[in-house]
Amino acid sequence: MDNEPTDTRTRRTSIRTKLLVGLAVPVLFVALLSGVQAKHAQDDLGRTQRQVTLALAAGGPSTYITALLDERNISALTLLNSQNTVKLTRVKTVAQARANTDKAQAAFGASIKRDGGLVEQLYGPTFTSTSAALAKARAEYDSFHGTKGIYEGPAQQASAHVYDNFSGFIASYAKVNATASAKIDDAEMRNRAQAIAAQTQASNLISLLARQAAQQILNGNKPLDGQQKLDTATLIAEYHATRQSALDNLQNDPRAQAQVGGFYFRPSMGFLDQQMIQAATVGYVGTGPGDIPGVLEVLTKAADTSRPNDNDAWQAARSSLERRAATL
C-alpha cells in the first residue's frame, strides 16, 4: 500500500473528498430546512398560545361580571327592602356580594397582568376604570341613610342610581369582549368566546327585564304607556338575539349547546319571557292591572334556582372554549 503510486492515492483522496462534499450538500440542506421548519413550528406555537390566551381572557371577565351583576342586583333590592321578597340565586346580602366581587376582581386583575401583551392592552384600561367606578358606586350606596323601602321615594331614587351606575361599567366590558373576540383567528375558538360573552350579556338582560317588571309594582301594575311598552319590546328583542347568538356560536359543540339551551328554555325562563312579551303588548304582567302577586311571581321566576342555572350555562360555554384551546 505504501508503494502505491502517488497519483492513485491522490485520486482516491479526491474521490473521498467529492463523496463527502456530495453528502454534505444535501445534509446541510436538510439541516437548514429542518431549522426553518422548526422556526416556523415554534412561531406557529407562539401564535397559537397567544390566541388561546386572548380567547380565555375574553371569557375571563364573565366571572367578574357575574359578581358585579349580583352585587348590583342585591344592592338595588336592599335599598328597596325587597331582598327577602325577590331572592337571588347566588347572594343573600350586600356583604356577601361584595366579598364575591372582590375575589373575582382580584383574580381577573392578576390574570391581566400575568397574560400581558394584547390582553393587558385591551382589558387593562377598562379594568382600571371599572375598579374606580365600583368604589364610587359602593360609596354612594353606603352614603344612603334614609328609610329603605319599595314605596320610599328617596330609596327608589338611590336604588335606581346604584343600579344604573353598575350597569354602566358592566356594559363597558361588552365592548372590550367584542374587540377581543374579533382578534381571535381560529373560528371555532372565536365562536366559543363569543358564546361566553353572549351568555354573560343574557344574564344582564334577564336582570333588566326583571327590573322592568319590578317597576310594575311601583305603579300598581297599571298598563305601561306606549314608550314603556316599546322599551320593554326592545329589551326582549335584544334578549332573544343574545340567546340565539349563544346557541349559534356553540353549534359545533352539541353538548355545550344543550346545556346552554337548558338554561334559556327551562320553564321559569319561558314564563318570564311570556310575561314580558305580554307587558310589551298589553302593558301589564300577571292576570291584569293591579295583580301585584302576579308581578312577584315573574320576579321569582327571574331569580329561579332550578338547574341548569346561569352559572352552569356559563361554565358549559367556558368548558367548550377550553376544550378547543386544548385541541389547538
Side-chain angles (χ1 to χ4, degrees), residues 60-209:
S62 298
T63 303
Y64 181 36
I65 294 172
T66 298
L68 290 171
L69 290 172
D70 285 342
E71 184 175 340
R72 177 192 68 181
N73 296 342
I74 192 66
S75 297
L77 285 169
T78 301
L79 285 168
L80 298 175
N81 199 28
S82 299
Q83 67 274 22
N84 294 322
T85 302
V86 181
K87 297 181 179 179
L88 300 180
T89 303
R90 292 177 295 272
V91 294
K92 307 303 178 188
T93 66
V94 172
Q96 180 191 3
R98 287 186 176 184
N100 290 349
T101 300
D102 290 344
K103 181 179 179 181
Q105 184 183 55
F108 183 49
S111 71
I112 291 173
K113 290 292 185 183
R114 182 185 66 246
D115 293 339
L118 186 57
V119 171
E120 188 168 15
Q121 178 185 331
L122 288 172
Y123 286 97
T126 300
F127 180 78
T128 299
S129 63
T130 55
S131 297
L134 173 62
K136 182 179 179 182
R138 286 177 172 179
E140 291 181 354
Y141 173 92
D142 293 337
S143 70
F144 180 80
H145 300 295
T147 302
K148 297 175 181 178
I150 195 166
Y151 296 112
E152 299 290 336
Q156 292 176 14
Q157 293 174 6
S159 176
H161 190 57
V162 167
Y163 192 99
D164 290 339
N165 280 345
F166 270 82
S167 297
F169 57 77
I170 287 170
S172 65
Y173 276 107
K175 297 178 181 178
V176 184
N177 282 343
T179 301
S181 297
K183 294 181 180 295
I184 300 171
D185 293 334
D186 180 73
E188 274 303 304
M189 199 156 55
R190 182 172 62 250
N191 288 346
R192 297 177 200 199
Q194 290 172 341
I196 296 174
Q199 174 61 26
T200 303
Q201 179 64 3
S203 295
N204 185 41
L205 289 167
I206 289 169
S207 175
L208 292 172
L209 286 169

Side-chain angles (χ1 to χ4, degrees), residues 217-262:
I217 296 178
L218 300 180
N219 71 1
N221 200 25
K222 296 175 184 177
L224 301 174
D225 62 29
Q227 185 59 52
Q228 290 170 325
K229 289 194 289 187
L230 179 61
D231 291 344
T232 302
T234 300
L235 271 180
I236 292 169
E238 188 176 354
Y239 168 62
H240 288 171
T242 304
R243 177 179 68 188
Q244 194 61 48
S245 174
L247 294 171
D248 288 347
N249 280 305
L250 291 172
Q251 61 182 335
N252 290 331
D253 190 342
R255 179 176 61 173
Q257 188 182 55
Q259 287 178 280
V260 173

